[in-house]
Amino acid sequence: MAACTIVWFRRDLRLEDNPALIAAARAGTVVPVFVWSPAEDGQFHPGRVSRWWLKQSLTHLELSLKKLGSPLILRKSPDTLSVLLEIAEATGATQVFYNHLYDPVSLVRDHRVKQGLSQRGIVVHTFNGDLLYEPWEVYDEEGQAFTVYEAFWKKCMSMPFEPEAPLLPPRRLTGPIGKIVGCNAEELGLEDEFEKSSNALLARAWCPGWGFANKSLDSFLRSPLIDYARDRQKADGASGTPTSLLSPHLHFGELSVRKIFHEVRKRQITWAREGNAGGEASVNMFLRALGFREYSRYLSFHFPFTHERSLLANLKSFPWRADEGYFKAWRQGRTGYPLVDAGMRELWATGWAHNRIRVVVASFSVKFLQLPWRWGMKYFWDVLLDADLECDVLGWQYISGSLPDGHELDRIENPEVEGYRFDPDGDYVRRWIPELARLPNEWVHHPWDAPPSALRAAGVELGTNYPRPIVEIGAARERLQASLAEMWERDAAMKAALANGLEEGLGETVEVAGTGGPEHERMDVPRVMVHMQRDADMSCNSSRRDQLVPEIVPNQFHIRAHESIMNRSAAMVEDGEEAGRAAVPMVFASVRRGMGGNYGGHHVEGNGGEVAQASAPIQWPTVTAVDYELDSTAESASVTGRGGSEGGTVPVWSQSVSARTPIQVREGLVPEVRRGPGLSRRQLQASVQRVNLEGMTSNKVGVGSMVDLDG
């Protein structure tokens, strides 16, 4: 008898090369389900433009599935598991299929859902629908996870087996008997009436949906790809299409990464046969960009703390400046550096910016202003159309020097030089900064050097209609060097205090060559064993397709924190009130291994307490250390002022407090902070083990932003 299978859609909103959907179609009756659960997203609730894209993409998918014979069931709920169980009971479904995700939020939720379904006797099968290779398939000669991109990508390109070929979409689907209660995309509440007027402009430039994603890929392959190596550095924006413009489609899974890879490889083979060296170089460059997306998920899986803490342990000693005044000027595009300001204004207006512009504005934030990189990462998450947690984390860690192969710690880019490099004619700056539209090319990227006559002729009044530089270049360099010296001093003192030689909360570390510091300085990188554990898992009758998750040794702080992730009930707090109970969105499930590959339940605990503000005021401005071991996960929320209910430590982005008002700061927190119950990273002792969740189910069926795809 044919089985009835629920296909749980998440960020795989397509029919083509969707392993979970195709496997379910082969098994029998298919019940497609999408659950919108903002409570489970925590502080990483999608921003306005990202939610707009999701709404359009779901509408497109809904029509496609209906034509095939099984309409998409849309539900909104604070608990995904309860919805899946309800639909399974209503339809008689005995299986749930879904494709893997690798970000920390999804790993926690997916593990909980899988356990809940398995306990009710529902078989769960999971698939790789997002990567060329699973994170546990790629490791170095010692069986350890890579922490350098070049080595990682070289290994991927020399794997003994090619990435699987993309699967064709099903010809038809057999839907469930009877009508299942659901809602339409409008009723999910993905955008309110106020947002609709702003979002209407997005439809002029973008066409969400898996069908349009394939058209975008075809368009890119026909023309821009062959000149990608030459044109990708242009900051022309979407109108010039110097890059692929595929990143939003990839984030929402409207387009398969395997399809992109194989289609591009076909072009590479053809151009190599024709002797087209430029085309070959473009393909290699584009595949490297695709590789950065793979690497972002690889790091997120093996080092699940990287959304809130540097991969390099030394960076937790860096004295970041918790300066909300700087942060506001950066967000609003009022720094006095034209290329930076143009990039930030485009980002806010359109939800998109060229990769090179993203690098410029991010570098300015962490190197010039020394704002905590997590602030910028969270802001990007809130405003980007292609907001992707793993890619954003990789980009910001790379720019801040938090990765072994990232930017040198003492590297600071001159925005003036970068302006003439990526926008030599000043067209990009003039489009987004009309105040400088009449300024000659000679001065457009450094108006502070322009003679008074040129400024008057262009109608520019520095300090009035366009700001003077917020920080002079020379002063920024000196301040960065002083901060690095302070970091090394703190790091040395911390190491001296750790007699056992282990970085607390990171497990075993290995030293690599330092960047930007004295030659004798060394950077500490955590080690994660992949191959040895994988062999142990394979001995339990599993396959290389099985979903693995990071394991964290449990302690008394996990359970309540997990509850606050899955069942968010914290109330908002008003400005100036005592810190409320905002939930902490990131902890990792612990699955204890028993005899013979059996697994017990996972246990997560949390302290549920409040962290009091320090009583001693610190006069503005000041340099304070943002402790990477703090029990919060981010210091920013969206520009709409969402706070306590979304968790973490968030500055309230309003004008209610002057930047020069005395404030209270605790270890680098910003003014007007709402603070929730923390989960101290000192409580998390990372294990190098990985566990095989497929051991809880029957045998599997045999079926198979600042990454440079932002353009």
Side-chain angles (χ1 to χ4, degrees), residues 282-325:
S282 291
V283 167
N284 289 332
M285 188 71 72
F286 183 77
L287 288 179
R288 279 180 53 84
L290 206 64
F292 276 111
R293 180 182 181 274
E294 293 275 309
Y295 189 51
S296 71
R297 280 137 177 80
Y298 184 84
L299 285 183
S300 181
F301 179 84
H302 288 300
F303 306 97
F305 56 83
T306 50
H307 66 287
E308 57 189 357
R309 190 174 63 197
S310 300
L311 183 63
L312 296 178
N314 314 69
L315 267 293
K316 68 185 176 184
S317 301
F318 189 86
W320 299 105
R321 291 175 176 260
D323 191 322
E324 191 181 1

Side-chain angles (χ1 to χ4, degrees), residues 679-691:
L679 176 65
S680 174
R681 294 303 169 265
R682 295 188 177 94
Q683 305 301 325
L684 300 181
Q685 301 297 324
S687 167
V688 298
Q689 294 182 346
R690 296 292 183 270
V691 295

Side-chain angles (χ1 to χ4, degrees), residues 107-332:
L107 287 173
V108 173
R109 179 195 57 214
D110 293 359
H111 176 56
R112 173 179 175 271
V113 167
K114 190 166 191 176
Q115 279 197 323
L117 293 171
S118 299
Q119 290 169 1
R120 298 292 188 92
I122 298 175
V123 177
V124 179
H125 293 306
T126 65
F127 306 85
N128 175 16
D130 191 51
L131 293 175
L132 301 176
Y133 298 104
E134 294 282 20
W136 50 86
E137 293 176 337
V138 184
Y139 43 82
D140 64 18
E141 294 179 355
E142 298 179 356
Q144 297 177 9
F146 289 102
T147 55
V148 175
Y149 171 74
E150 292 293 342
F152 164 81
W153 189 236
K154 182 178 180 181
K155 180 63 180 288
C156 288
M157 292 295 94
S158 61
M159 291 287 280
F161 53 95
E162 282 285 323
E164 295 182 7
L167 303 169
L168 294 175
R171 294 179 178 177
R172 67 183 64 88
L173 297 174
T174 301
I177 299 175
K179 185 177 181 180
I180 310 301
V181 177
C183 62
N184 57 45
E186 186 67 37
E187 293 170 332
L188 290 178
L190 293 171
E191 58 178 352
D192 58 33
E193 293 301 321
F194 175 77
E195 293 172 334
K196 287 181 180 180
S197 59
S198 299
N199 292 342
L201 299 175
L202 296 173
R204 299 181 181 179
W206 300 95
C207 294
W210 73 275
F212 295 110
N214 283 306
K215 292 180 181 179
S216 296
L217 175 61
D218 292 340
S219 177
F220 175 66
L221 294 173
R222 282 196 306 268
S223 178
L225 175 60
I226 197 168
D227 296 320
Y228 182 80
R230 183 194 67 191
D231 295 341
R232 61 184 289 270
Q233 300 282 23
K234 295 179 180 178
D236 293 335
S239 61
T241 59
T243 52
S244 71
L245 302 177
L246 296 178
S247 56
H249 299 295
L250 270 170
H251 170 72
F252 289 99
E254 299 172 349
L255 195 59
S256 161
V257 68
R258 293 187 297 210
K259 178 175 182 178
I260 296 175
F261 178 84
H262 285 287
E263 291 296 328
V264 170
R265 284 278 288 129
K266 290 177 185 177
R267 295 324 193 263
Q268 186 180 40
I269 294 171
T270 299
W271 290 333
R273 188 185 304 120
E274 296 172 351
N276 188 332
E280 282 191 89
S282 291
V283 167
N284 289 332
M285 188 71 72
F286 183 77
L287 288 179
R288 279 180 53 84
L290 206 64
F292 276 111
R293 180 182 181 274
E294 293 275 309
Y295 189 51
S296 71
R297 280 137 177 80
Y298 184 84
L299 285 183
S300 181
F301 179 84
H302 288 300
F303 306 97
F305 56 83
T306 50
H307 66 287
E308 57 189 357
R309 190 174 63 197
S310 300
L311 183 63
L312 296 178
N314 314 69
L315 267 293
K316 68 185 176 184
S317 301
F318 189 86
W320 299 105
R321 291 175 176 260
D323 191 322
E324 191 181 1
Y326 279 177
F327 190 40
K328 181 178 178 180
W330 177 75
R331 293 194 323 267
Q332 294 180 341

